[in-house]
Structures are given as structure tokens and as C-alpha cells.
Amino acid sequence: MRISFFARVSLGVMLLLLLVIGSLAGALQQAAQQALERHAQEQLNVGARVFERLLALRSQQLQDEVRILSSDFGFRDAVASADVPTLRSALRNHGDRAEASEVLLLDLHGQIKASTSAAFAEGQPFAYAQALLTQLQNPQHLLVVPVDGVPHLLAAATVRAPLPVAVLIMGFEIDRALADELRQLTHLEVTLLVQTDTGKPRWLSTLLNAPAQQLELLRQLDSDSRHWQPLVLAGEHYLSLAVPLSEAADYQISAFLHRPLNAVSAALLGLRERLLSIAGLAFGASLLLALLLARTVARPLERLARSAQRIGQGDYQAPIERLRVPELAALGAALGQMQHGIAERERQLAHNALHEPHSGLPNRTLLEERINSAIAAERPLGVLLIGVANFSEWLSARSGDAEQQLAQALAQQLLELRRPGLSVARLLDDRFAVLLEEASAAELITLADQCQQRLSQLRDWQGEALGLQVHIGVASYPQDAHSSEALLHCALAALHEAQMHHEPVQVYEQAKDAARQRQIILVRDLRQAAERGELQLHYQPKLNLRDGQIRQAEALLRWQHAELGWVSPGEFIPLAERTGSIAALTRWVIEAAVAQVAQWHAQGLVMQVSVNVSAADLAAFDVCQVVEQALSRHQLAAQQLVLEITESAVMQDQQHALAVLQALRELGVGLSVDDFGTGYSSLAQLRQLPVQELKIDQTFIRQLGPEGDDAVIVRSTIEMSHRLGLKVVAEGIESALVLELLRDWGCDVAQGYYISRPVPASALQAWLTSDAAQVLQG
């Protein structure tokens, strides 16, 4: 059910008034209640002091009487002579004069020698010896003890003749008479409570009558509290204060002072009734005022609310009603300004959402909408994706609004093409797109050439050539893709191809894109290949041509991709070198190779394994440290590991390479120059390096014959290497003829498919015991 604004205003004013009146009444009630409690607390505090003063005064009277009697010469003489009749007479006379309840004489062992009260039998020990000792040491201390369930105030003194011979005690019963006297002085009720180890309390009170009231009071009172306690007894409210009198292990004596509160509560009730009457009158008057206010304000506001609702629904044309009340008229004018401002901002937001701010061209969102519209209508179209390679470098040399000026200049050049069905958009800072509908492949290439020439030859606002490096990728529908996203992807692939090969224009080719996508996948997954367990080491054995033994092998990395299968090292190794992943691969190969050789060694197979190290590895990490840690971790002798370093790596930075190789040589690792003959080094240059062998590249070995240039190079390399003290390894041997030629020419070690292909570690162990290996080893 909808409540009108008129009703809401009226209801709001009424609720506000009720809240104010209620808060005021509550505050007054609380203040009066707090005042009542403070007054009652002050009365209780005064009553407690009066009560304690009465007890102290009575204690002092007893103390004076005890001191007088204990100092009497005749009394001391009777005590010294143990004249019991005389003692009893003296105790009774002085007790009557002091209005004492009992007078006792104790010996120094606490036995009662004489007594005026049946509650303290002669010949019995005094039950409150410890409390008595405290009172003797401090006469100001009140000694209150229960006697037959009634509290008694005692005073004591030592009898000397002249040394202490006895203790004199005089007591006073704290009864209803004292409570009545206190009530007359303070107008407070008093409850005396004696609790002993019997578990049944004893009451001496003017407040309690019935046993049920006594039990209820006992339940509510807390004799351990020194704070005020509220009580409710027979419908009467009290505020009570506990005054502890005495406490021991087997008894507890307390006095409770009570202040009745019902009389004051009745006064508060009358005040509350008067407040309610005043509140009722104020409520009625305010209700009339609220109705008048709502009638004057609510209806115009409702009309303004309907106008605001129309604005919220997107109606920015309906005029705002003019109102007579000045304040409401100002509100209507402000609402009209808001209506106009929102309409303008929405128009601007709609434009900004689909256009790039610097150039004013459509952005990617609007471009994709136009592409999707053409595809939905099955209209052929082409996309030219334009990239400016040196856009950022050009901007970095300038300041201010150079980016906006350049973007606008590029946009102007593209817009001047003015062809039917042509659209221009800016996708990124350095990337633009041109969309042309109903265009053939030849027309797209012609348009791309025009764009490339226009932008490449663009001059700045001072007339100087900008020197922009512009590349364009071309893709078309329906030949290359059937969606806006796929079509832009194809154009982007063509653009990357143009940038990679430094071509001005490149048309999308699916085969090149597939190859590029494969490279992207390989680069991405190569970083996690080791963690996924996709890397393996295969080992190609090496034949010692001097003794026919196989005690060496080369560790070659293999990658079995989870989706692409086996990937050739010739494909992923160059990618790893270009992307910086080669160092991680080399670390893994060294660790895996050392672990495998150590395992073979433990099984009785002693092998020396060589591992390839590239130029990037020498610069990327500490090869010596990695090798040393791997050898130490697997307890392997350094002589069982050989590092093959390419000739190019040695020649690129001879000083650094010499330092690294020298450290490895000091470690005891074997060193070999790999692919020798493919670079520009000579044996004389390699002479200064701490290597032990050269590995002739397989390009000189595969087609090797008795005669020819390859034969001359191989024979001279073997002879010169031996003269320098270097062993020679030949790789790429694929026939028995080549193997025999190398044996005849003095080559030390042979490696190739004729001997064995690279195989897994387990297969190598099996091959070494096979017939084929036995034949090779003679």
C-alpha cells in the first residue's frame, strides 16, 4: 500500500514529537530516580557512621569500666589469692554498674575462672581466644562475638599483680534496643544477622516479622558487599547497605541498614502523570501544525518528485512545473538544470564509450560493432591493422600535448582517403584500424599501400618529416575469419609478421599464423616443462677409436610436449636462447646428467658424460657454482663430467670465457670446444684456453671421403690438435667408411648414428651389452 507524502510528513512530525516528549520524560524520570538513589545512599552512609559510632561509644564505656576494675587493688589481690567468691561479687557489682550482659575472668591459658553469665561456664575454655588477643593488642578494635546466637560486644583488659595473672572481659548484648535507637536517630531500618557453622541464621531485626520474609531477605542480601543493594520485600522497595561487624571461620555477624523507597516512587508517579498530560496537549497542537505544513509543502513536492522520476526514466524533454513558493521554485529550477546536465553528460558518455579521446576516432568497441553488423549482413569487408613501431620513442623526445597532436594528424591522414564503406578507428596508442566494406583483395592491398605511404611520409606541424615506422597487417571476411574477434586476431598476426620481417604490408596467411601460434605455445610452456616432467635426457654413446671401448656419452635434451608431442631441439633451443629460458634448461640438464652418471656409477657402470653449454649460459649464471653443487650433491668425481662449449661462445668474449673455463678446469671438469670449424677461430687462438678436446662439426664429417676439401680440413685439424695436446672428437658419423677414415687419420673419439642414435638412459645400458655394441668394440 502506497503512503502519500502528505501522510508521511504528518506521521514523521508526530513520531518526532513523540520521540522528543518520550526522551524528555525518560530523562526527567531517570534524573529523579538518580536523585532518589543518591539521597538514599547518603542516608545509608550517614546511618552506617552513626551505627559504628554507637558501637564504638559503647565499646569505649566497657573498656573504661574494665580498665578501672582491672586496676583495683582489692580486685587484683582477690585474683592473686584465687578468692572466687570475692571475684564473683566484684564482677557482678561492676557489671551491673556498667549495664554489661556478662563479666568474665580468664586465666592466662584462656580458662574461665569466674563468670556472671550462664553462657560462659566456669572451668571451660574461652571460645574466642584469637579474637580476644587482637582486642588486647588494639583496644580500639571492636570485638563482636555470637553468644547463643546473639551478637555481643566485648571489651578486655589484662590484670597485673604486678605481672599479668589474668584477663578481665566485659560484654554488652547488641539487641533490638540498639536497633531501635539507631532507627530513632536516622529513620533507617536495621537488620542484624548472625550466621554460624550450624547453617541456621539468627535474626535480630525490626524490619522482619514472618519467616518467609526472613528467607527472602537472606536470598537477596550479600553480606560480603560494601555497596548499596536494592531489595523488594512484600511489595516494598528498599536500598540496603551492609555493615560487617565480625567474621571468623565459624561465624559471621553483619548489620544491614535499609532505606524505604516507595514514598519517593509515589511522588515520581505523580510527576510522570503530569508529564503525560502536558505531552498529550503538545501532541495535539503539533498534529494540527503538521497537517497544515504537509498541505502547504507536500503537494508541490509530490509534483517535483514525479518530474524527477521522469528524469530517472530517461525523459529529458518534459518541462519542470513552475511553483509559487520561492524555496520550492528554486528547487524546481535546480531540477531543470540537473535534467539538462544529465542529458548532456549521457550524450558525452555515450560518445566517449565508443570513441578514443585523443583522436576522436571510433574505438575498438565501435569497430567491432561495425564489423559484426557487416558480418551479420554477409557483406565482404577487409581490416587493415596499422602499427607505428616507433610511436613511444617519438613521443618520449617531445612533451606537452604531442600525443594528441600526433594522433589527430594520423587520424586526419586516414580520414582523407574518403572511400565508400571506409571506417577508421584507434585501438591502442600506436595502433589504428581501417575497415573497408565490399572490397576485393587487390583493393585492400592498394589501400594498405596508400595508408603506409601517407603515414610514413607524414610531416609535423613545423614541416619536418616525422620518420614513423609504419607496418600494416591485412585480413578479410569471409576468407580469413567469421567473427570480429577472429578477424582482428588475423589482422594482428599479419601485422606481427610484417614487423618481424620489416615489411610495410603483410596479408594474413594461415600457415604463418599457425607457425607463430606454435612458437607462442612453445615459449609459454618451456618455462614449466621441467616442473611438468616433460624434459628427458637421451644419451648418444662415443666410441674410443684407439681401444674400441665405449666409456663416454653425450647428454642430449629432449622435450615431449603434453599436447604437441616430441619437439625437436632445433626448434625449442633457439627459442629458449631468444627468450632467456636457456639458463634454466642448462641447470636442469647438468643436474639430471650428474644424477644419472652417479646412478650408473653405483650400479658398476663407469661413464663420462658431456653436456652442452651455450654462450648465453656463460653470461646468465655461474656455471662453475652450478656444476660444483651438482657434483657435491650426488658425490660424483668431476672427471666424469665434460662440458662442451661452442666455438662461438668461446670467441664472443674470450676474456670472460677464459675465466669461466679456468674455474671449471680447476674444479676438475673436462672441457671441450663444440662445433669446431663453423666459426672464425683458429687452433692458435684456442691454444690459450684450458680445454682438453676439440669436437669437429658434423658438417665436415657426414659427406667425408678420402679426398676433397673436407678431408683436408679434418686431417689437418686432427694433426694440429694432437700437436697442441688436444683430443679430437668427430660427430655425425653415419657410415663404416667414414669411421675407418677417421680411425686411419688418428681421430680419438667417434660419435654418430652409425654407432648409435641418442637413446634413454635405460636403453643405453641395454645397448652396451648388445651384440651391436660388442661388434663396434671389437
Side-chain angles (χ1 to χ4, degrees):
M1 179 179 178
R2 184 176 178 273
I3 302 176
S4 66
F5 181 73
F6 176 83
R8 289 198 298 272
V9 170
S10 302
L11 183 61
V13 172
M14 288 187 289
L15 291 178
L16 179 60
L17 183 61
L18 287 175
L19 179 62
V20 171
I21 294 175
S23 300
L24 179 60
L28 291 175
Q29 177 71 16
Q30 184 179 10
Q33 187 68 31
Q34 291 176 350
L36 170 64
E37 292 181 358
R38 284 196 299 270
H39 179 67
Q41 291 169 5
E42 291 175 359
Q43 283 188 312
L44 289 174
N45 286 331
V46 172
R49 290 194 293 270
V50 170
F51 182 70
E52 291 173 348
R53 183 60 180 165
L54 287 175
L55 289 180
L57 182 60
R58 186 57 177 155
S59 176
Q60 185 63 43
Q61 292 174 352
L62 292 176
Q63 193 69 42
D64 293 341
E65 192 66 31
V66 168
R67 191 179 300 109
I68 293 172
L69 179 58
S70 62
S71 302
D72 184 78
F73 179 80
F75 179 75
R76 287 188 295 173
D77 184 62
V79 171
S81 62
D83 186 358
V84 175
T86 303
L87 290 175
R88 289 174 181 168
S89 175
L91 295 179
R92 189 176 299 108
N93 292 334
H94 282 271
D96 293 340
R97 186 169 57 193
E99 297 181 356
S101 303
E102 55 274 333
V103 184
L104 311 175
L105 182 67
L106 310 181
D107 61 16
L108 296 180
H109 299 289
Q111 295 290 329
I112 301 175
K113 306 304 292 181
S115 172
T116 64
S117 173
F120 297 95
E122 296 179 358
Q124 298 296 322
F126 185 66
Y128 308 106
Q130 185 63 37
L132 176 63
L133 181 60
T134 303
Q135 209 278 337
L136 288 173
Q137 294 175 350
N138 181 14
Q140 303 301 321
H141 173 74
L142 297 180
L143 176 59
V144 181
V145 298
V147 180
D148 292 336
V150 178
H152 284 238
L153 177 64
L154 303 182
T158 304
V159 180
R160 301 174 181 272
L163 295 177
V165 293
V167 176
L168 179 62
I169 299 175
M170 189 173 292
F172 167 75
E173 179 180 347
I174 303 175
D175 53 7
R176 291 180 182 269
L178 184 63
D180 292 338
E181 182 180 358
L182 180 64
R183 184 173 67 254
Q184 293 174 2
L185 292 174
T186 62
H187 303 288
L188 298 176
E189 301 289 350
V190 182
T191 297
L192 297 175
L193 174 63
V194 180
Q195 292 177 286
T196 61
D197 54 3
T198 60
K200 185 176 180 180
R202 176 72 181 272
W203 300 89
L204 297 173
S205 173
T206 59
L207 178 64
L208 303 175
N209 296 313
Q213 290 182 317
Q214 296 178 1
L215 293 177
E216 179 64 20
L217 181 61
L218 182 63
R219 187 183 64 81
Q220 297 185 47
L221 286 179
D222 182 4
S223 59
D224 294 331
S225 175
R226 293 291 292 180
H227 299 284
W228 300 279
Q229 306 173 55
L231 299 177
V232 180
L233 295 173
E236 181 78 15
H237 290 265
Y238 297 90
L239 189 65
S240 298
L241 177 64
V243 181
L245 299 180
S246 180
E247 183 176 2
D250 54 350
Y251 66 88
Q252 182 178 5
I253 303 174
S254 304
F256 297 92
L257 306 181
H258 312 290
R259 173 67 167 86
L261 302 176
N262 282 17
V264 180
S265 299
L268 289 177
L269 182 59
L271 176 62
R272 188 184 302 114
E273 292 176 352
R274 288 192 295 275
L275 284 175
L276 289 176
S277 300
I278 296 173
L281 293 175
F283 181 76
S286 62
L287 180 58
L288 294 177
L289 178 62
L291 294 175
L292 179 60
L293 177 64
R295 186 179 183 85
T296 305
V297 177
R299 292 181 180 178
L301 285 179
E302 286 181 350
R303 293 197 294 270
L304 290 177
R306 286 193 293 269
S307 298
Q309 188 177 16
R310 290 196 301 271
I311 296 174
Q313 294 172 351
D315 182 5
Y316 305 126
Q317 304 302 323
I320 305 299
E321 180 181 357
R322 294 180 179 272
L323 302 175
R324 297 180 180 179
V325 179
E327 292 79 3
L328 296 180
L331 178 60
L335 191 62
Q337 294 176 358
M338 182 186 71
Q339 180 184 26
H340 175 73
I342 292 176
E344 181 62 25
R345 280 193 294 274
E346 283 204 358
R347 185 194 64 78
Q348 188 65 38
L349 287 173
H351 180 272
N352 293 342
L354 298 175
H355 292 78
E356 193 275 328
H358 288 153
S359 64
L361 294 175
N363 59 14
R364 184 186 183 98
T365 302
L366 183 54
L367 178 68
E368 289 182 349
E369 288 184 3
R370 293 176 177 176
I371 294 175
N372 289 330
S373 298
I375 293 176
E378 297 184 351
R379 297 192 302 269
L381 77 156
V383 173
L384 279 61
L385 196 60
I386 304 171
V388 182
N390 59 339
F391 188 91
S392 299
E393 291 80 355
W394 189 91
L395 289 181
S396 63
R398 291 158 177 82
S399 60
D401 55 353
E403 179 181 357
Q404 183 172 359
Q405 294 177 354
L406 179 59
Q408 291 175 350
L410 293 173
Q412 183 63 32
Q413 290 296 319
L414 296 175
L415 291 172
E416 288 178 357
L417 295 172
R418 300 185 184 282
R419 293 194 178 190
L422 184 141
S423 300
V424 181
R426 188 184 187 191
L427 307 185
L428 297 172
D429 291 345
D430 59 349
R431 195 164 296 166
F432 293 79
V434 175
L435 178 66
L436 183 62
E437 297 186 18
E438 303 292 348
S440 63
E443 290 175 332
L444 290 175
I445 294 176
T446 301
L447 179 62
D449 288 336
Q450 293 177 353
C451 294
Q452 203 277 338
Q453 292 178 14
R454 276 178 169 270
L455 301 183
S456 299
Q457 299 173 7
L458 182 64
R459 296 180 177 275
D460 64 10
W461 29 100
Q462 283 83 26
E464 298 181 4
L466 297 181
L468 299 179
Q469 301 173 11
V470 180
H471 305 277
I472 302 177
V474 182
S476 60
Y477 162 80
Q479 289 83 1
D480 300 323
H482 292 81
S483 69
S484 60
E485 183 178 358
L487 187 59
L488 290 174
H489 172 78
C490 294
L492 179 61
L495 174 60
H496 286 162
E497 190 71 21
Q499 292 172 337
M500 183 180 301
H501 296 90
H502 305 287
E503 297 179 357
V505 178
Q506 177 66 49
V507 179
Y508 174 76
E509 297 181 24
Q510 187 175 3
K512 290 183 178 180
D513 188 31
R516 182 174 173 276
Q517 292 300 319
R518 177 180 172 87
Q519 286 188 352
I520 292 175
I521 293 174
L522 293 179
V523 170
R524 180 196 65 195
D525 295 346
L526 188 58
R527 297 184 181 93
Q528 290 84 31
E531 299 176 2
R532 296 174 179 173
E534 297 176 355
L535 298 181
Q536 299 180 19
L537 284 184
H538 286 195
Y539 298 88
Q540 187 174 32
K542 298 179 180 180
L543 177 64
N544 190 314
L545 296 179
R546 295 185 180 275
D547 58 11
Q549 298 297 313
I550 296 177
R551 294 184 294 272
Q552 295 175 285
E554 181 179 2
L556 299 171
L557 183 61
R558 297 292 183 263
W559 181 16
Q560 187 175 22
H561 193 276
E563 298 176 359
L564 304 178
W566 288 105
V567 183
S568 169
E571 183 179 7
F572 73 81
I573 291 297
L575 290 177
E577 291 178 341
R578 288 206 306 267
T579 59
S581 300
I582 190 65
L585 291 181
T586 303
R587 289 192 188 95
W588 185 89
V589 171
I590 292 174
E591 177 68 24
V594 170
Q596 184 59 59
V597 175
Q599 182 180 347
W600 280 336
H601 193 86
Q603 296 172 354
L605 177 61
V606 179
M607 293 289 290
Q608 186 184 56
V609 173
S610 58
V611 173
N612 291 285
V613 178
S614 69
D617 294 328
L618 295 180
F621 65 98
D622 190 347
V623 179
C624 185
Q625 181 181 7
V626 172
V627 170
E628 183 177 9
Q629 291 176 351
L631 294 173
S632 175
R633 187 161 38 249
H634 297 285
Q635 300 295 309
L636 185 70
Q639 293 76 13
Q640 291 184 253
L641 179 65
V642 176
L643 297 184
E644 296 185 4
I645 303 171
T646 60
E647 180 185 2
S648 59
V650 175
M651 292 299 102
Q652 281 180 7
D653 187 352
Q654 290 192 38
Q655 184 175 1
H656 177 69
L658 180 62
V660 174
L661 296 179
Q662 188 63 45
L664 290 169
R665 190 70 193 99
E666 293 175 359
L667 189 62
V669 175
L671 300 174
S672 174
V673 177
D674 194 14
D675 299 337
F676 183 76
T678 60
Y680 300 96
S681 63
S682 64
L683 287 172
Q685 289 174 308
L686 297 177
R687 180 180 181 182
Q688 57 184 324
L689 299 176
V691 298
Q692 292 81 47
E693 67 178 28
L694 295 181
K695 194 171 188 179
I696 302 176
D697 189 70
Q698 57 185 342
T699 57
F700 302 104
I701 303 298
R702 284 180 178 172
Q703 305 299 327
L704 185 64
E707 304 295 336
D709 293 340
D710 289 344
V712 174
I713 293 174
V714 171
R715 293 186 65 177
S716 61
T717 300
I718 293 174
E719 292 175 2
M720 294 182 65
S721 297
H722 286 168
R723 291 178 183 177
L724 294 175
L726 302 177
K727 292 197 307 181
V728 179
V729 179
E731 63 176 343
I733 300 171
E734 299 182 356
S735 66
L737 174 62
V738 174
L739 183 64
E740 290 304 321
L741 286 175
L742 292 171
R743 195 192 305 270
D744 293 340
W745 293 343
C747 183
D748 300 291
V749 180
Q751 177 183 350
Y753 281 8
Y754 179 74
I755 300 171
S756 174
R757 289 178 175 272
V759 295
S762 59
L764 178 62
Q765 289 181 270
W767 180 84
L768 289 174
T769 59
S770 66
D771 295 339
Q774 298 301 322
V775 170
L776 287 172
Q777 298 182 55

